């Protein structure tokens, strides 16, 4: 299987892609999605492909792991964790709880969001308008404002949650 000759480049690519996927995954967990999310997905696909080539290149050594109890236990633990996350994410109640909070804020009127940031609703409206966004008033939601202005609601979060 060494005829693939991926050894000189597969490990450095795996390390680089792994670091990128780890950092971008943490950023997405913390709510930074644009433009990180698309890059995370594409680098993740590259990561999976290079891992497959790396395994094929090291097939003999890779198969030895299946005879070691510790390695089998770790692989089983990772598999159970992945299946658990997929199972939780597949339910309506699952997933990252912060996403529920973010969606609630996006769909709440500015008059309800204002107390969260210790500001007046009128202040939020004028701040968004000063930044160039069309805002109908304090009853508008961040989701509506984003749609009306052709942007993503999270793009408005920096303005709403910024220190005065």
């Amino acid at each position: 299987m060494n005829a693939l000759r991926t050894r000189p480049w597969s490990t450095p690519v795996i390390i680089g892609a792994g670091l990128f996927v780890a950092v971008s995954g943490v950023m997405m967990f913390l709510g930074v999605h644009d433009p990180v999310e698309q890059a995370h997905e594409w680098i993740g696909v590259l990561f999976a492909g290079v891992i497959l080539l790396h395994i094929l290149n090291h097939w003999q050594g890779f198969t030895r792991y299946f005879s070691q109890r510790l390695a089998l236990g770790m692989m089983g633990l990772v598999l159970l964790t992945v299946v658990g996350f997929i199972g939780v994410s597949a339910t309506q109640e699952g997933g990252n709880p912060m996403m529920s909070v973010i969606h609630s804020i996006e769909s709440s009127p500015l008059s309800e969001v204002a107390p969260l940031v210790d500001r007046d609703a009128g202040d939020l409206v004028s701040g968004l308008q000063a930044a160039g966004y069309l805002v109908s008033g304090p009853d508008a939601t961040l989701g509506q404002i984003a749609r009306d202005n052709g942007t993503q609601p999270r793009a408005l979060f920096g303005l709403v949650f910024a220190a005065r």
Side-chain angles (χ1 to χ4, degrees):
M1 288 280 173
N2 281 343
L4 291 173
R5 301 184 122 349
T6 63
R7 185 169 283 161
W9 58 267
S10 64
T11 300
V13 171
I14 287 172
I15 291 168
L19 288 171
F20 179 84
V21 168
V23 170
S24 60
V26 169
M27 290 173 69
M28 287 170 36
F29 178 79
L30 296 174
V32 178
H33 290 269
D34 293 326
V36 174
E37 191 167 10
Q38 190 172 20
H40 176 84
E41 290 170 357
W42 281 105
I43 297 294
V45 170
L46 169 73
F47 191 31
V50 175
I51 287 172
L52 178 63
L53 289 174
H54 188 76
I55 288 171
L56 290 173
N57 196 55
H58 297 87
W59 185 253
Q60 190 174 15
F62 178 72
T63 57
R64 277 186 244 144
Y65 285 111
F66 292 101
S67 64
Q68 299 173 11
R69 283 186 169 190
L70 178 61
L72 284 173
M74 296 304 289
M75 286 186 256
L77 181 63
V78 168
L79 181 63
L80 285 174
T81 303
V82 168
V83 168
F85 275 116
I86 291 171
V88 169
S89 296
T91 67
Q92 286 183 319
E93 299 163 5
N96 183 345
M98 284 306 295
M99 293 310 295
S100 296
V101 172
I102 290 169
H103 291 303
S104 293
I105 293 170
E106 287 175 4
S107 61
S108 297
L110 291 176
S111 58
E112 292 179 12
V113 174
L116 294 175
V117 293
D118 196 30
R119 294 169 74 182
D120 180 76
D123 184 32
L124 292 182
V125 170
S126 55
L128 289 167
Q129 289 172 335
Y133 293 99
L134 298 173
V135 182
S136 61
D139 291 332
T141 68
L142 290 175
Q144 291 168 333
I145 297 166
R147 276 190 302 279
D148 292 346
N149 289 276
T151 190
Q152 295 291 321
R154 291 184 187 102
L156 306 174
F157 271 54
L159 296 169
V160 170
F161 285 89
R164 289 193 250 183

